[in-house]
C-alpha cells in the first residue's frame, strides 16, 4: 500500500474512534531510547516521554525482556489469588517510599480514587458524617467523576468538567503553594484530608515555595487530617528523587503513583502509611486487572533499572543543566516569564498562550507539550544524555525566540 493508501486507511480507522483527543498529525512506528520514528521514517527527539510515562525511554532492553519473559509465563490470574510479583513490587515501593502498604490499580485516576475513598473512610472513623478534602487551585487529579471533582477550576479544567454535573461533593479549594490558606480551615470539623501535587503538572509545572509540604505535614498532624500526595506525574525519579516529597524529608499518609511506574505498561499504585495504614480491608476496594503479573514485572524492571544506573542522580543533575542552559539562552527574551522545575520535570512560562509551539517543535523533530496554555512542559526520559540535551535546548530556544519576536518560521 502506497503513502496515499496508508493515509486513507488511517483516516478511515480514526473515524471509528470517539474523538476525545485532538490528535497531532503524526503516528510513530518504533522508538529507541529518547528517539521516536514516524511512518515516513523521520526521527524525533522525545522530550515528553508519553507524558512522563516512558521514564527509561523507548524499547529499553530490560523492560522488553521482562515483558517478553513474563508474557510467556502468565499474564493474569486476578486478585483472588496471591501474586508474588505484586508482593515483590509492593515491598520495593514501600522500601523506597518508607511507607507501609500499597494497593495496585491501573492508572493515576484509579490511584487517586483510592486516595479519596481512604480520606472518606478516615473521616467516618473519626465520626465525621460528611467528610471533606482540601484540594488546590490549578490541580489535576484525573477524569473519573470523583477525580474531576477534585480537579481545580481553571478554564481548561472547567472544560473537562463541563456536562458531567452533578459532580461528587466534598472538596474545598484553596490556593496552591499557600500553607496558611490550608491552616485557615483548621476550624472546619468536617475536613478529613488534604490532597495535593508536590509540583502541579497539568497546571503549568507550578513549583510551590520551599517548605510548603513540610508545613502541610505539620498542619495535618495537628488536625488529624491525612496528607495525600498525588505523585502520579512527579514520582518514580522524575524530579531527582524517588518521590518529589522526599526533597522536603516528609512522609505522606497516602501517595498515588502511575505514569512512569510501568515504563509504558499501565499500572497505578496507592501507598499508605500511619493512620491510613489499616483503613482498607477485605472487600472495601478492589481491581480486576490491578497489579497483574505482566504490569508488575515491567514495574520491577523500571525500578531496578533506575537504581542500578543511578538515574535519580542523573535526572537531578541533567535537569539543573537544562534549566541553566535555557535561562542563559533566553535571558534576553522579554516574553519568557520564568524557567522552572525540578529534575526532569521542567516548565518554560511565556507571557502569552503558545500551543502553536507544539506544532512548530514537531516540525523541527522535537516533541514537547504546552500546559495551562502558556507553559512549555518538558518531561524527557530519565536516560536523556547531554548531546540530546544540547539539541533539545538549542532547537526549542530558537523556536521560543522566534515566537516571542512575532516571527513566523
Amino acid at each position: 500500500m502506497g503513502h496515499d493508501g496508508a493515509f486513507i486507511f488511517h483516516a478511515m480507522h480514526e473515524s471509528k474512534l470517539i474523538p476525545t483527543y485532538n490528535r497531532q498529525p503524526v503516528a510513530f512506528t518504533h522508538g529507541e531510547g529518547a528517539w521516536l520514528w514516524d511512518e515516513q521514517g523521520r526521527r524525533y527527539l522525545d522530550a515528553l516521554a508519553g507524558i512522563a510515562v516512558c521514564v527509561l525511554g523507548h524499547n529499553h532492553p530490560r523492560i522488553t525482556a521482562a515483558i517478553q519473559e513474563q508474557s510467556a509465563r502468565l499474564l493474569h490470574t486476578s486478585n483472588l489469588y496471591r501474586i508474588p510479583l505484586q508482593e515483590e513490587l509492593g515491598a520495593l515501593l514501600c522500601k523506597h517510599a518508607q511507607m507501609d502498604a500499597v494497593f495496585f490499580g491501573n492508572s493515576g485516576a484509579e490511584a487517586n480514587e483510592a486516595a479519596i475513598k481512604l480520606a472518606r473512610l478516615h473521616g467516618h472513623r473519626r465520626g465525621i458524617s460528611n467528610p471533606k478534602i482540601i484540594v488546590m487551585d490549578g490541580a489535576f487529579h484525573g477524569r473519573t467523576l470523583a477525580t474531576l471533582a477534585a480537579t481545580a477550576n481553571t478554564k481548561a479544567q472547567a472544560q473537562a468538567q463541563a456536562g458531567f454535573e452533578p459532580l461528587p461533593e466534598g472538596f474545598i479549594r484553596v490556593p496552591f503553594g499557600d500553607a496558611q490558606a490550608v491552616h485557615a480551615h483548621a476550624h472546619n470539623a468536617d475536613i478529613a484530608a488534604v490532597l495535593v501535587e508536590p509540583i502541579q503538572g497539568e497546571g503549568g509545572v507550578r513549583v510551590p515555595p520551599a517548605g510548603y509540604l513540610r508545613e502541610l505535614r505539620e498542619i495535618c498532624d495537628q488536625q488529624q487530617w491525612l496528607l495525600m500526595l498525588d505523585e502520579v506525574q512527579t514520582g518514580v525519579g522524575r524530579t531527582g528523587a524517588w518521590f518529589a516529597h522526599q526533597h522536603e524529608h516528609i512522609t505522606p499518609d497516602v501517595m498515588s503513583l502511575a505514569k512512569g511506574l510501568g515504563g509504558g505498561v499501565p499500572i497505578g499504585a496507592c501507598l499508605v502509611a500511619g493512620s491510613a495504614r489499616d483503613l482498607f480491608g477485605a472487600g472495601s476496594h478492589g481491581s480486576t486487572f490491578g497489579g497483574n503479573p505482566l504490569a508488575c514485572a515491567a514495574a520491577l524492571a523500571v525500578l531496578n533499572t533506575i537504581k542500578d544506573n543511578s538515574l535519580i542522580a542523573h535526572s537531578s543533575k541533567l535537569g539543573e543543566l537544562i534549566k541553566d542552559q535555557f535561562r542563559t539562552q533566553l535571558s534576553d527574551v522579554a516574553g519568557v516569564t520564568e524557567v522552572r522545575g525540578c529534575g526532569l520535570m521542567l516548565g518554560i512560562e511565556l507571557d502569552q498562550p503558545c500551543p502553536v509551539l507544539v506544532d512548530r517543535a514537531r516540525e523541527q523533530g522535537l516533541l514537547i507539550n504546552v500546559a495551562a496554555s502558556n507553559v512549555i512542559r518538558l518531561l524527557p526520559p530519565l536516560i536523556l544524555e547531554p548531546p540530546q540535551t544540547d539539541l533539545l535546548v538549542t532547537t526549542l530556544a530558537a523556536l521560543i525566540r522566534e515566537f516571542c519576536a512575532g516571527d513566523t518560521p
Side-chain angles (χ1 to χ4, degrees):
M1 182 180 291
H3 174 71
D4 291 341
F7 177 81
I8 292 171
F9 170 79
H10 289 304
M12 290 174 62
H13 184 66
E14 181 75 12
S15 70
K16 300 300 182 184
L17 301 178
I18 296 175
T20 53
Y21 296 94
N22 290 318
R23 300 178 193 270
Q24 297 178 42
V26 64
F28 301 108
T29 59
H30 63 287
E32 186 74 30
W35 300 101
L36 283 169
W37 282 262
D38 69 13
E39 294 171 308
Q40 284 70 49
R42 186 180 181 192
R43 190 176 72 163
Y44 300 77
L45 180 62
D46 186 1
L48 189 58
I51 318 181
V53 168
C54 302
V55 291
L56 299 181
H58 304 282
N59 194 26
H60 193 282
R62 286 183 68 170
I63 297 180
T64 299
I67 292 171
Q68 289 175 335
E69 292 169 8
Q70 187 57 43
S71 66
R73 287 198 295 266
L74 187 66
L75 293 177
H76 175 82
T77 60
S78 87
N79 285 293
L80 295 175
Y81 313 101
R82 285 185 54 233
I83 301 175
L85 283 171
Q86 187 181 119
E87 295 168 0
E88 182 181 352
L89 177 60
L92 189 57
L93 279 174
C94 288
K95 175 184 176 182
H96 288 314
Q98 292 298 292
M99 297 184 73
D100 296 334
V102 58
F103 170 85
F104 288 108
N106 307 284
S107 68
E110 287 183 51
N112 283 330
E113 283 274 350
I116 291 167
K117 290 176 72 173
L118 285 165
R120 292 193 172 183
L121 272 174
H122 176 67
H124 285 297
R125 291 193 181 182
R126 292 182 55 210
I128 302 172
S129 60
N130 187 22
K132 293 180 172 57
I133 301 170
I134 294 178
V135 294
M136 309 299 156
D137 287 336
F140 185 86
H141 297 296
R143 292 182 181 272
T144 64
L145 285 176
T147 55
L148 266 183
T151 286
N153 53 0
T154 62
K155 180 179 178 182
Q157 291 154 339
Q159 290 175 345
Q161 295 172 343
F164 300 113
E165 301 88 356
L167 295 175
E169 298 179 347
F171 299 96
I172 299 171
R173 288 183 176 80
V174 302
F176 177 67
D178 184 350
Q180 289 307 306
V182 175
H183 189 268
H185 289 273
H187 67 280
N188 190 334
D190 286 338
I191 292 174
V194 174
L195 174 62
V196 61
E197 299 157 277
I199 299 172
Q200 290 188 341
E202 299 296 326
V205 194
R206 298 175 66 200
V207 182
Y212 175 61
L213 295 181
R214 283 199 306 273
E215 290 186 69
L216 293 185
R217 177 71 276 175
E218 291 171 4
I219 294 168
C220 288
D221 287 342
Q222 292 165 3
Q223 303 301 321
Q224 299 182 56
W225 299 342
L226 298 181
L227 177 60
M228 309 197 304
L229 299 184
D230 178 344
E231 292 238 24
V232 169
Q233 193 164 139
T234 57
V236 196
R238 172 58 54 189
T239 69
W242 276 112
F243 312 106
H245 69 268
Q246 292 174 331
H247 292 293
E248 296 208 355
H249 308 289
I250 65 161
T251 301
D253 300 298
V254 181
M255 177 174 65
S256 54
L257 298 174
K259 288 193 179 292
L261 181 56
V265 176
I267 185 170
C270 182
L271 282 78
V272 294
S275 55
R277 170 67 176 86
D278 298 316
L279 289 171
F280 278 158
S284 59
H285 198 51
S287 171
T288 296
F289 295 105
N292 66 67
L294 183 70
C296 289
L300 282 165
V302 168
L303 297 181
N304 288 324
T305 301
I306 289 174
K307 179 179 73 71
D308 293 346
N309 292 276
S310 302
L311 291 179
I312 302 290
H314 178 74
S315 66
S316 178
K317 180 179 178 180
L318 205 59
E320 289 302 310
L321 174 65
I322 294 172
K323 276 194 296 186
D324 289 344
Q325 289 180 331
F326 273 121
R327 286 168 177 165
T328 298
Q329 295 201 26
L330 299 173
S331 61
D332 61 338
V333 180
V336 176
T337 302
E338 186 181 15
V339 178
R340 59 178 179 258
C342 190
L344 290 176
M345 183 176 184
L346 302 166
I348 304 170
E349 182 176 345
L350 306 187
D351 64 359
Q352 59 185 303
C354 57
V356 68
L357 284 174
V358 172
D359 294 327
R360 293 184 185 179
R362 190 185 64 251
E363 291 163 2
Q364 295 294 317
L366 176 65
L367 303 179
I368 63 170
N369 176 249
V370 169
S373 83
N374 68 327
V375 180
I376 300 161
R377 178 171 52 161
L378 302 175
L379 300 162
L382 306 189
I383 48 88
L384 198 71
E385 295 296 336
Q388 298 163 338
T389 297
D390 294 340
L391 177 62
L392 163 62
V393 174
T394 301
T395 303
L396 186 54
L399 288 169
I400 293 170
R401 186 175 293 275
E402 291 170 348
F403 175 80
C404 291
D407 298 335
T408 303

